[in-house]
Amino acid sequence: MSTDYLVKALAFNGGIRAYAVRSTETVGEVQRRHHMWPTATAALGRTISATAMMGAMLKGEDRITVKIQGDGPLGPIVVDANAKGEIRGYATNPQTHVPLNDKGKLDVRGVVGTEGTLSIIKDLGLKDYFTGQVPLISGEIAEDFTQYLVVSEQVPSAVALGVLVNPDNTVKAAGGFIIQVMPGVTDETITLLEEKISTMKPISTLIDQGLSPEEILIEVLGKENVEFLDTVNVKFDCECSKERFGDAIQALGCHEVQAMIDEDHGAEAQCHFCLETYQFSEAELKQLIDNMPSAED
Ligand code: ZN
């Protein structure tokens, strides 16, 4: 049972919306599944924390997919999540690591790159999609999400994300928070929060010290100002299945599937997110062909 969860809150009489997440177990599971190296884990882990919180801004069966495509050696990062805290993700080259940066920290920018895009797709059900994209401004992930929220969703926001990796590459601590400013908040409040955020300890340190998501928001916003609304359990969850891969193979069309039968006498498909593999025998591939909707001429 995962101990990861996120909390949603309001503060300063509803003028501030806030989210905080502890994602240590979830990022740890992804690290183990993909045998990730530390800098790659930090980049993907930060993205997982941010996506979990953005998922919590959705409702019902809505889903969000985040893709960070930089020019660094890590290759694209893809993470998706829903409003129920179920999350999965991968980095294209999980065994990526570079020396620490000049602050002695994992050099996330060095693996993500500084040129590229952060794109977001929200699947809002009934074929209703929202998409947004911003250029990367930092490659450190938190600044890039801040830029996205400000530019694409027009909500002034502060985003903090952090991951601590143990010497044996396992995950020691991971988490983050998002603070959003609604219209009508006084400049005084904004200055207060900016000062607090710029002087507090790094989020990964707070998580490592055992602070809960609630305690982190109290740290940022002040105990007397914050009102907690809801908590959501966060966990790694991949919804892939043999049936879904069968559908994808079927979508390749009759000729492709026949070629798999003739040349390879079967097929194997692997999920990018959880690395589960699915085998399709010759007979199963034949059945996929037989069940294809009749071809349009
Ligand atoms: Zn999967």
Side-chain angles (χ1 to χ4, degrees):
M1 188 62 200
S2 170
T3 60
D4 289 351
Y5 69 97
L6 63 83
V7 60
K8 307 184 205 180
L10 292 174
F12 297 95
N13 303 314
I16 301 290
R17 262 198 313 223
Y19 303 82
V21 64
R22 179 170 64 209
S23 57
T24 309
E25 302 280 331
T26 307
V27 177
E29 176 158 359
V30 175
Q31 186 277 326
R32 283 193 301 278
R33 281 178 181 268
H34 293 260
H35 305 288
M36 298 184 73
W37 291 357
T39 324
T41 304
L44 179 58
R46 289 181 191 181
T47 311
I48 284 174
S49 296
T51 308
M53 290 186 281
M54 290 189 61
M57 299 173 193
L58 302 174
K59 294 187 181 75
E61 300 297 315
D62 296 353
R63 301 190 63 82
I64 180 171
T65 300
V66 172
K67 190 168 185 184
I68 296 178
Q69 215 157 2
D71 60 348
L74 187 61
I77 295 171
V78 181
V79 177
D80 67 31
N82 60 21
K84 292 175 277 189
E86 294 164 343
I87 191 155
R88 59 182 191 164
Y90 67 89
T92 304
N93 301 307
Q95 284 89 38
T96 304
H97 184 59
V98 296
L100 300 181
N101 65 20
D102 52 16
K103 291 177 192 145
K105 304 233 161 150
L106 290 168
D107 187 7
V108 169
R109 173 182 308 184
V111 297
V112 171
T114 50
E115 296 286 322
T117 53
L118 182 159
S119 16
I120 290 192
I121 301 170
K122 292 181 191 171
D123 176 354
L124 305 172
L126 301 171
K127 298 204 159 81
D128 188 10
Y129 283 89
F130 168 89
T131 62
Q133 183 173 303
V134 290
L136 293 179
I137 56 161
S138 149
E140 288 285 341
I141 312 286
E143 290 88 337
D144 301 298
F145 273 96
T146 303
Q147 170 82 351
Y148 168 81
L149 290 166
V150 172
V151 171
S152 205
E153 303 203 355
Q154 275 106 44
V155 184
S157 304
V159 181
L161 304 168
V163 177
L164 285 182
V165 179
N166 288 311
D168 66 357
N169 291 356
T170 58
V171 174
K172 190 161 192 252
F177 65 76
I178 298 178
I179 306 293
Q180 300 198 296
V181 181
M182 301 295 112
V185 171
T186 63
D187 290 345
E188 202 185 345
T189 302
I190 293 173
T191 307
L192 188 81
L193 291 177
E194 281 172 348
E195 272 175 20
K196 184 67 208 176
I197 290 168
S198 63
T199 55
M200 64 191 280
K201 289 179 189 165
I203 178 76
S204 53
T205 305
L206 298 179
I207 300 265
D208 189 38
Q209 288 176 345
L211 267 70
S212 66
E214 287 89 345
E215 287 167 329
I216 287 164
L217 289 185
I218 287 171
E219 176 83 15
V220 181
L221 300 163
K223 192 172 178 50
E224 64 284 8
N225 301 316
V226 59
E227 176 198 345
F228 295 108
L229 301 177
D230 197 10
T231 61
V232 180
N233 287 322
V234 170
K235 66 176 198 307
F236 178 88
D237 186 86
C238 193
E239 56 179 18
C240 69
S241 65
K242 186 163 182 177
E243 195 188 347
R244 285 186 184 219
F245 277 96
D247 291 346
I249 290 172
Q250 210 171 34
L252 296 172
C254 187
H255 289 289
E256 282 290 321
V257 182
Q258 189 61 49
M260 290 174 185
I261 294 171
D262 296 340
E263 290 161 26
D264 305 321
H265 307 288
E268 183 180 284
Q270 186 176 39
C271 175
H272 288 302
F273 288 97
C274 68
L275 302 183
E276 185 74 44
T277 56
Y278 297 96
Q279 311 283 344
F280 290 86
S281 67
E282 250 181 273
E284 286 170 325
L285 291 176
K286 250 190 160 65
Q287 196 161 24
L288 289 178
I289 293 181
D290 291 345
N291 294 339
M292 271 183 202
S294 49
E296 310 156 32
D297 58 339

